[in-house]
Amino acid sequence: MGKLSRKFYSRKTGIVAQELLGKALVHKTAEGIILAKIVETEAYLGQEDPGSHAYRGITQRNRIMFGPAGKAYIYLVYGNHYCFNVVTEKDGAAGAVLIRALEPKEGIQLMKKNRRIDGPLTRLTNGPGKLTQALGITGSMNGVDLTGNKLFIMSQSSSPEKGRHSRDFSIISTGRIGIKKGTNLPYRYYIEGSRFVSQTIPIRK
DNA sequence: AATCAGATTTCCT
DNA sequence: GGAAATCTGATTA
């Protein structure tokens, strides 16, 4: 129901990455509200993780990863796409969860407009670069506090009787995608059976 | 369906 | 100089 607190984010990155699955990412823009369910995440740790930006210590780009949890770490990849991450761990310790794929729920027309496409819903936000474009997230929002009221994540209890800590899906864990180092670590998580996870979907008639 | 070049910033060997 | 937490459109078959 409620917006996730800093306490939620200030934990081990792997735990946060798994618990973010099924939650709703919300962006309140001037043009309207966009809401989408998180279906795929990846955990990036600190010094001990060769696949992480934080592996070699603090730089101009990754400094947000070392700060307090609950902030947005947004960076440009390959010169032209933005990736959206949620900062985790205690202040001073590096860690972030990359949001890799979403299931569009509200503001779908606006997302299509932002993406400048009108294809199937499964291809609107099924990749880290695609979802930032769909939600209107850019590098200028790097460091934004996710406990604020413009960009945040909330739990959506679809069945209140089952309690807040229940899950109506299974989590699959695999190696991370798009990196060369640390691919053996099982830090990618996604909702089993979701048609919205990032992957090349065969074109069918 | 599979492969590949191009876009183009930040950081490293 | 060259790789990198990506995506698109063209080409090949």
Side-chain angles (χ1 to χ4, degrees):
Chain A
M1 266 278 166
K3 188 183 302 180
L4 300 183
S5 64
R6 196 168 317 283
K7 203 168 188 177
F8 177 93
Y9 299 113
S10 304
R11 295 178 293 160
K12 289 293 172 194
T13 310
I15 300 291
V16 177
Q18 293 179 68
E19 294 200 6
L20 279 175
L21 292 175
K23 301 290 193 292
L25 175 56
V26 183
H27 189 196
K28 292 187 176 177
T29 76
E31 299 202 78
I33 295 178
I34 295 175
L35 188 151
K37 186 169 89 170
I38 298 172
V39 300
E40 180 181 352
T41 62
E42 277 179 359
Y44 286 92
L45 314 189
Q47 297 282 329
E48 69 276 28
D49 180 2
S52 174
H53 282 171
Y55 185 51
R56 298 170 198 284
I58 194 164
T59 67
Q60 174 88 1
R61 177 176 66 171
N62 70 15
R63 62 189 170 80
I64 300 294
M65 282 184 81
F66 291 81
K71 301 212 172 182
Y73 169 45
I74 301 163
Y75 63 89
L76 191 62
V77 261
Y78 296 105
N80 46 352
H81 295 287
Y82 291 104
C83 284
F84 172 74
N85 302 248
V86 169
V87 176
T88 58
E89 307 282 347
K90 287 176 284 201
D91 190 3
V97 175
L98 170 68
I99 308 301
R100 280 197 66 86
L102 303 170
E103 177 177 340
K105 290 289 190 185
E106 296 175 28
I108 289 167
Q109 288 313 313
L110 187 49
M111 283 192 255
K112 286 182 175 177
K113 185 188 165 197
N114 288 341
R115 291 262 294 132
R116 292 185 210 100
I117 62 161
D118 193 16
L121 239 47
T122 49
R123 270 173 257 176
L124 203 51
T125 52
N126 64 333
K130 296 179 186 179
L131 70 90
T132 51
Q133 187 180 35
L135 294 233
I137 295 172
T138 70
S140 65
M141 296 163 128
N142 187 32
V144 161
D145 197 335
L146 299 175
T147 62
N149 56 13
K150 188 160 172 55
L151 183 64
F152 55 89
I153 300 172
M154 55 189 286
S155 58
Q156 38 180 0
S157 62
S158 49
S159 49
E161 297 110 36
K162 292 183 178 175
R164 281 198 312 233
H165 299 293
S166 70
R167 242 181 227 129
D168 57 353
F169 54 82
S170 294
I171 298 176
I172 305 291
S173 173
T174 76
R176 292 169 293 185
I177 292 178
I179 59 173
K180 289 285 171 55
K181 296 169 188 167
T183 51
N184 55 316
L185 300 167
Y187 292 161
R188 173 178 176 245
Y189 309 99
Y190 65 90
I191 294 180
E192 182 180 41
S194 174
R195 305 187 328 281
F196 297 88
V197 301
S198 66
Q199 61 187 21
T200 307
I201 297 169
I203 299 165
R204 54 184 209 152
K205 312 163 194 166

XYZ file of all heavy atoms in Angstrom, chain A residues 56 59 61 76 78-80 202, chain B residues 1 7-13:
228
model
N 35.854 -0.339 -8.278
C 37.141 0.359 -8.153
C 37.074 1.627 -7.320
O 37.917 2.508 -7.454
C 37.672 0.717 -9.538
C 37.940 -0.490 -10.373
C 38.218 -0.094 -11.804
N 38.059 -1.216 -12.691
C 38.941 -2.208 -12.825
N 40.051 -2.195 -12.123
N 38.709 -3.198 -13.654
N 33.872 7.393 -7.939
C 34.197 8.254 -9.080
C 33.095 9.321 -9.195
O 32.089 9.255 -8.483
C 34.237 7.476 -10.422
O 32.914 7.031 -10.738
C 35.169 6.283 -10.370
N 30.968 9.623 -11.504
C 29.716 9.013 -11.944
C 28.987 8.243 -10.841
O 27.786 8.398 -10.650
C 29.990 8.069 -13.129
C 28.750 7.322 -13.603
C 29.027 6.485 -14.832
N 29.952 5.373 -14.573
C 30.217 4.406 -15.445
N 29.628 4.413 -16.619
N 31.058 3.455 -15.144
N 24.302 7.246 -17.719
C 24.196 7.052 -19.168
C 25.039 5.846 -19.576
O 26.196 5.759 -19.239
C 24.705 8.314 -19.859
C 24.485 8.498 -21.347
C 23.003 8.533 -21.670
C 25.150 9.797 -21.790
N 26.502 3.432 -22.785
C 26.801 3.401 -24.217
C 26.493 4.726 -24.908
O 26.110 4.752 -26.077
C 26.017 2.274 -24.881
C 26.420 0.917 -24.370
C 25.608 0.209 -23.503
C 27.643 0.388 -24.739
C 26.000 -1.029 -23.020
C 28.043 -0.846 -24.256
C 27.218 -1.552 -23.396
O 27.626 -2.767 -22.920
N 26.643 5.796 -24.134
C 26.491 7.119 -24.724
C 25.092 7.598 -25.028
O 24.927 8.767 -25.368
N 24.072 6.733 -24.918
C 22.744 7.239 -25.286
C 21.522 6.660 -24.584
O 20.397 7.013 -24.941
C 22.560 7.118 -26.803
C 23.003 5.782 -27.333
O 23.576 4.993 -26.601
N 22.727 5.503 -28.567
N 10.671 -13.372 -29.890
C 10.479 -13.758 -31.284
C 9.240 -13.083 -31.863
O 8.193 -13.067 -31.229
C 10.275 -15.278 -31.215
C 10.778 -15.688 -29.880
C 10.632 -14.506 -28.996
P 11.424 -15.445 -34.998
O 10.662 -16.575 -34.515
O 11.997 -14.510 -34.048
O 12.602 -16.004 -35.913
C 13.157 -17.312 -35.668
C 14.643 -17.279 -35.938
O 14.903 -16.490 -37.133
C 15.483 -16.647 -34.834
O 16.652 -17.432 -34.701
C 15.765 -15.238 -35.329
C 15.810 -15.445 -36.848
N 15.372 -14.266 -37.610
C 14.270 -13.490 -37.407
N 14.146 -12.505 -38.283
C 15.241 -12.648 -39.109
C 15.690 -11.922 -40.230
N 15.044 -10.864 -40.725
N 16.821 -12.343 -40.822
C 17.454 -13.413 -40.326
N 17.134 -14.176 -39.284
C 16.009 -13.737 -38.707
P 26.823 7.217 -36.264
O 26.480 8.215 -37.287
O 28.228 6.939 -35.926
O 26.070 7.615 -34.922
C 24.648 7.690 -34.905
C 24.184 7.689 -33.467
O 24.297 6.348 -32.941
C 25.042 8.594 -32.554
O 24.226 9.449 -31.788
C 25.774 7.616 -31.666
C 24.831 6.423 -31.634
N 25.515 5.163 -31.327
C 26.759 4.765 -31.737
N 27.113 3.600 -31.277
C 26.032 3.193 -30.508
C 25.780 2.038 -29.752
N 26.636 1.042 -29.622
N 24.606 1.955 -29.109
C 23.736 2.965 -29.230
N 23.860 4.097 -29.922
C 25.032 4.149 -30.545
P 24.705 10.927 -31.462
O 23.494 11.653 -31.011
O 25.513 11.444 -32.583
O 25.673 10.705 -30.211
C 25.129 10.275 -28.984
C 26.245 9.903 -28.023
O 26.815 8.640 -28.397
C 27.392 10.915 -27.989
O 27.747 11.136 -26.638
C 28.526 10.201 -28.705
C 28.235 8.753 -28.322
N 28.841 7.726 -29.221
C 28.858 6.408 -28.791
O 28.397 6.060 -27.743
N 29.442 5.521 -29.657
C 30.012 5.800 -30.876
O 30.497 4.920 -31.557
C 29.967 7.201 -31.268
C 30.536 7.625 -32.566
C 29.400 8.069 -30.430
P 28.338 12.555 -26.161
O 27.290 13.578 -26.285
O 29.624 12.728 -26.848
O 28.626 12.334 -24.588
C 27.539 12.064 -23.728
C 27.981 11.180 -22.585
O 28.395 9.889 -23.081
C 29.163 11.713 -21.768
O 28.870 11.444 -20.408
C 30.348 10.902 -22.250
C 29.687 9.569 -22.593
N 30.357 8.759 -23.637
C 30.572 7.421 -23.382
O 30.272 6.888 -22.332
N 31.160 6.731 -24.408
C 31.552 7.219 -25.634
O 32.065 6.485 -26.465
C 31.301 8.623 -25.830
C 31.689 9.269 -27.127
C 30.725 9.322 -24.835
P 29.530 12.325 -19.265
O 28.414 12.914 -18.514
O 30.592 13.178 -19.846
O 30.237 11.239 -18.350
C 29.560 10.034 -18.068
C 30.555 8.947 -17.753
O 31.041 8.356 -18.970
C 31.794 9.429 -16.993
O 31.848 8.713 -15.777
C 32.958 9.111 -17.923
C 32.387 8.009 -18.793
N 32.959 7.875 -20.151
C 33.259 6.610 -20.617
O 33.096 5.612 -19.955
N 33.755 6.567 -21.893
C 33.994 7.639 -22.737
O 34.439 7.472 -23.857
C 33.658 8.927 -22.182
C 33.876 10.157 -23.012
C 33.166 8.989 -20.932
P 32.940 9.088 -14.679
O 32.279 8.951 -13.381
O 33.609 10.340 -15.059
O 33.965 7.886 -14.843
C 33.437 6.553 -14.837
C 34.501 5.596 -15.338
O 34.696 5.769 -16.753
C 35.863 5.792 -14.687
O 36.247 4.597 -14.044
C 36.796 6.143 -15.842
C 36.064 5.582 -17.042
N 36.350 6.278 -18.313
C 36.670 5.526 -19.441
O 36.694 4.288 -19.349
N 36.948 6.161 -20.598
C 36.910 7.494 -20.655
N 37.184 8.078 -21.830
C 36.579 8.279 -19.511
C 36.313 7.643 -18.372
P 37.502 4.560 -13.074
O 37.152 3.716 -11.928
O 37.984 5.934 -12.874
O 38.543 3.768 -13.963
C 38.321 2.369 -14.122
C 39.040 1.873 -15.356
O 38.879 2.774 -16.445
C 40.534 1.693 -15.133
O 40.850 0.317 -15.253
C 41.184 2.516 -16.228
C 40.057 2.736 -17.226
N 40.178 4.036 -17.928
C 40.534 4.030 -19.277
O 40.739 2.943 -19.837
N 40.634 5.213 -19.934
C 40.404 6.361 -19.294
N 40.506 7.499 -19.981
C 40.042 6.396 -17.914
C 39.949 5.219 -17.270
P 42.195 -0.224 -14.498
O 41.705 -1.225 -13.524
O 42.979 0.934 -14.027
O 43.005 -0.944 -15.657
C 42.324 -1.638 -16.716
C 43.240 -1.757 -17.927
O 43.203 -0.534 -18.688
C 44.699 -2.011 -17.595
O 45.234 -2.938 -18.524
C 45.355 -0.656 -17.766
C 44.534 -0.058 -18.889
N 44.467 1.428 -18.913
C 44.463 2.056 -20.144
O 44.520 1.462 -21.183
N 44.378 3.420 -20.077
C 44.297 4.208 -18.941
O 44.225 5.432 -19.014
C 44.308 3.480 -17.692
C 44.251 4.228 -16.394
C 44.400 2.133 -17.746
